[in-house]
Amino acid sequence: MPQVNVIVKWKGEDHKLEVETDDSVEVVKIQLYTMTGVQPERQKLLFKGKTLTENTVLNSLNIKEMMGTPGELPKEPENKTLFIEDMSDKQLAETLKLPSGLQNLGNTCYLNSTLQCLRAMPELQESLNRFTSGSTDADNLTASLRDLYRNLNQTTEDAAPYHFLQILRTAYPQFAQRNPNGYMQQDAEECWTQIVSSLKQANIPVPNQVSGSSSETSSTEGSFIDRYMTGEFTSILKCIDAPEEEEVVIKENFMKLNCHISVIVNYMQNGIMMALDEKIEKNSPTLGRMANYSKTSRISRLPSYLTVQFVRFFWKAEQNVKSKILRKVKFPIELDATDFCTDELKNKILPLKNRLREFEKERESSKNKAKLAINNDQDIVNSNNDETANIEELKKLIDPDLEKDVGANVSGLYDLCAVLTHTGRSADSGHYIGWVRKENSEDWIQYDDDRVKPVTQEEILKLEGGGDKQFIYL
């Protein structure tokens, strides 16, 4: 491999380069790049008036001198690259196709976060679109919510919920409380309760695809709130002071579960179970006076959407303020509610739930195998066919009574779809944020009033509490 000294002229200067004659022009360009900083694709090498290609071998040429130029320097692009960290909130929302945020109208983060979390239910939005306006405060609030959601779904611009807020304050004057600095901060859970109560009073219908396709035997009586967000407790009352007194069984509806927080509660499921087993005082017909009772409640109907409140606030009489329990409480991305249910409901949901769990294990096993091999097209087709067969099998395992109960959960399993968090030491101060999972995705959206951004599932799991950071409330 004889060597030859090549003179390359660039920027009016001669550059001496020692190359192997067995090398190609491509190798020479790389050497020139290390010497001059000119990218190989921008180099033009001429020999006896002809441009040399990268594949030209030097020993095919009678080389004495090669002349090179850097070629035409690239022009600066007319539109400069805009990086995400340099984008405004509006540019970020348009680029990432983020949903619209809600402007803070003066301590209204409690409202904005509540509205964004309720918006996570597509069936609710469809039911609202079927609602026709009425004349009561509840009707007006419902119609305003319908119009607000329609507006949010048609634009990436932030919205100012003036009209909805005005109606809310008229219907529920507590949200119109003021201090010398303006409107006061309010409790997001109280806001959630009043909005859902209004939707219930307005009697918004069940989603159209359900009422239009359900069989005659399906139960579609009641509003969306009754069918999709309301569960039922079956409770047993036993008199502790008079054990001989006959037990009393009562049924009660609920629209949210409470997670009690104490020094022994580390997980949401433990806090919920504590709230289901409680001690109360009531009049005893046997003793003719107030007596102590144990009240054991279990769920006899699970709604499609289950709301859980972390009972973090308690009243401090000496300070006249709602103080906050800062304890860290872990919560799951998927909740199995079977342990909260009556034996009768357990028997109805267990066949489907157990088969779903088996499918999840099989799917996870398939994913692990896929990492070790590349499937061909036929493998993918077979997988899709198997998935269709699985769905048909699962449908057959749905209990007939639950299948008729429109809006009921038929498996006892729930996927986390929205979280409302709070930071601060009091419910009537601090700041609220809504976090909503994107449909059919593990990615989430953070709604901090009009500041909307994508977040990961890992960030959601960090909202478990402790200290003064944002953590889960609803």
Side-chain angles (χ1 to χ4, degrees):
M1 292 188 295
Q3 295 180 338
V4 62
N5 292 323
V6 176
I7 298 175
V8 179
K9 294 184 177 179
W10 180 61
K11 285 190 173 181
E13 298 180 0
D14 290 347
H15 294 266
K16 292 182 180 180
L17 191 65
E18 193 176 81
V19 299
E20 304 282 350
T21 57
D22 289 340
D23 287 341
S24 67
V25 170
E26 183 179 17
V27 175
V28 177
K29 285 189 173 185
I30 293 173
Q31 290 180 268
L32 287 171
Y33 170 60
T34 61
M35 179 187 298
T36 65
V38 179
Q39 296 284 348
E41 60 268 20
R42 289 177 49 217
Q43 297 177 22
K44 183 188 292 183
L45 296 181
L46 303 176
F47 181 69
K48 295 184 178 180
K50 294 183 179 180
T51 302
L52 303 182
T53 65
E54 278 78 358
N55 296 326
T56 303
V57 179
L58 299 183
N59 61 16
S60 66
L61 307 172
N62 183 18
I63 298 177
K64 292 182 180 178
E65 178 182 288
M66 286 171 57
M67 183 169 66
T69 71
E72 183 180 359
L73 294 174
K75 297 180 180 179
E76 184 178 0
E78 295 182 5
N79 298 320
K80 294 184 177 180
T81 302
L82 186 61
F83 297 97
I84 286 181
E85 54 268 26
D86 298 324
M87 292 182 180
S88 65
D89 290 341
K90 180 179 178 181
Q91 290 171 323
L92 187 64
E94 291 176 345
T95 302
L96 300 180
K97 294 182 171 57
L98 295 176
S100 303
L102 292 168
Q103 296 175 21
N104 192 312
L105 304 178
N107 281 334
T108 58
C109 58
Y110 70 92
L111 171 65
N112 293 344
S113 54
T114 300
L115 292 177
Q116 295 288 16
C117 287
L118 286 171
R119 190 181 167 202
M121 296 181 282
E123 299 93 339
L124 172 59
Q125 296 191 54
E126 182 177 346
S127 294
L128 287 170
N129 287 333
R130 298 184 62 217
F131 175 75
T132 54
S133 301
S135 57
T136 67
D137 285 342
D139 291 336
N140 293 335
L141 193 75
T142 301
S144 180
L145 183 61
R146 174 199 62 200
D147 297 341
L148 177 61
Y149 282 166
R150 283 178 180 173
N151 180 36
L152 290 174
N153 291 336
Q154 293 171 359
T155 180
T156 58
E157 296 286 340
D158 301 323
Y162 285 112
H163 186 250
F164 184 88
L165 181 60
Q166 182 181 10
I167 296 175
L168 179 70
R169 286 172 172 166
T170 300
Y172 304 102
Q174 71 188 85
F175 299 110
Q177 293 176 322
R178 300 177 67 101
N179 59 28
N181 298 321
Y183 284 104
M184 296 171 58
Q185 177 72 284
Q186 300 292 333
D187 186 338
E189 186 276 327
E190 293 178 4
C191 180
W192 180 94
T193 298
Q194 301 296 18
I195 292 175
V196 173
S197 176
S198 292
L199 296 177
K200 180 178 173 63
Q201 293 175 41
N203 202 36
I204 56 175
V206 295
N208 190 45
Q209 74 267 19
V210 173
S211 61
S213 60
S214 60
S215 66
E216 294 181 1
T217 58
S218 294
S219 174
T220 56
E221 295 180 1
S223 69
F224 171 86
I225 303 299
D226 294 326
R227 309 309 311 175
Y228 282 79
M229 296 184 68
T230 303
E232 180 188 71
F233 283 136
T234 296
S235 303
I236 299 176
L237 294 175
K238 294 181 180 180
C239 185
I240 299 173
D241 298 340
E244 71 280 3
E245 185 174 299
E246 187 177 354
E247 296 178 354
V248 177
V249 179
I250 59 175
K251 291 185 180 293
E252 304 170 290
N253 289 337
F254 69 90
M255 287 192 289
K256 64 180 175 66
L257 296 179
N258 290 327
C259 172
H260 284 182
I261 302 175
S262 69
V263 293
I264 62 173
V265 172
N266 296 314
Y267 297 90
M268 183 185 80
Q269 294 91 319
N270 303 133
I272 292 175
M273 191 60 74
M274 283 184 60
L276 296 179
D277 298 329
E278 56 184 336
K279 301 290 190 297
I280 64 170
E281 275 192 340
K282 66 180 288 292
N283 184 66
S284 168
T286 302
L287 301 175
R289 61 172 173 81
M290 297 296 292
N292 295 311
Y293 283 78
S294 66
K295 182 179 181 182
T296 303
S297 301
R298 292 296 181 265
I299 299 173
S300 46
R301 181 188 189 268
L302 285 168
S304 288
Y305 288 93
L306 189 66
T307 302
V308 179
Q309 178 192 358
F310 286 63
V311 186
R312 291 197 175 275
F313 297 106
F314 63 97
W315 187 255
K316 272 192 175 180
E318 65 276 11
Q319 298 177 8
N320 197 34
V321 68
K322 286 182 182 177
S323 292
K324 187 176 182 180
I325 302 172
L326 303 178
R327 184 176 178 81
K328 182 184 297 185
V329 179
K330 295 183 179 296
F331 58 92
I333 294 295
E334 183 184 87
L335 171 67
D336 182 352
T338 309
D339 289 341
F340 311 142
C341 298
T342 62
D343 289 340
E344 181 182 1
L345 183 54
K346 283 181 183 178
N347 291 333
K348 291 181 178 181
I349 63 179
L350 279 176
L352 177 59
K353 189 201 84 168
N354 291 339
R355 192 67 184 110
L356 276 169
R357 290 296 199 201
E358 290 175 4
F359 280 146
E360 288 176 1
K361 291 180 181 178
E362 292 169 5
R363 188 177 292 113
E364 188 63 32
S365 176
S366 298
K367 287 181 180 178
N368 292 335
K369 290 179 181 178
K371 293 177 182 178
L372 303 176
I374 300 175
N375 293 331
N376 57 37
D377 291 341
Q378 186 59 44
D379 289 332
I380 296 173
V381 171
N382 290 338
S383 176
N384 290 335
N385 290 337
D386 290 342
E387 194 72 20
T388 302
N390 291 345
I391 293 172
E392 293 303 315
E393 179 185 347
L394 292 172
K395 286 181 178 179
K396 295 177 182 178
L397 293 175
I398 299 176
D399 181 86
D401 292 335
L402 296 181
E403 187 174 20
K404 295 175 185 177
D405 188 357
V406 172
N409 180 303
V410 297
S411 69
L413 300 176
Y414 288 90
D415 289 321
L416 187 65
C417 65
V419 173
L420 192 152
T421 61
H422 176 265
T423 184
R425 296 294 177 119
S426 170
D428 301 326
S429 63
H431 186 60
Y432 292 96
I433 292 178
W435 314 70
V436 177
R437 194 183 71 180
K438 296 172 68 175
E439 197 169 2
N440 301 319
S441 172
E442 291 186 355
D443 296 325
W444 287 68
I445 301 293
Q446 177 192 350
Y447 293 95
D448 185 357
D449 291 327
D450 56 354
R451 296 177 294 278
V452 181
K453 69 175 185 179
V455 293
T456 64
Q457 184 169 284
E458 286 71 26
E459 292 176 83
I460 299 300
L461 291 173
K462 294 177 182 178
L463 302 172
E464 57 191 16
D468 288 323
K469 55 190 176 184
Q470 285 285 342
F471 52 88
I472 191 166
Y473 181 37
L474 285 178

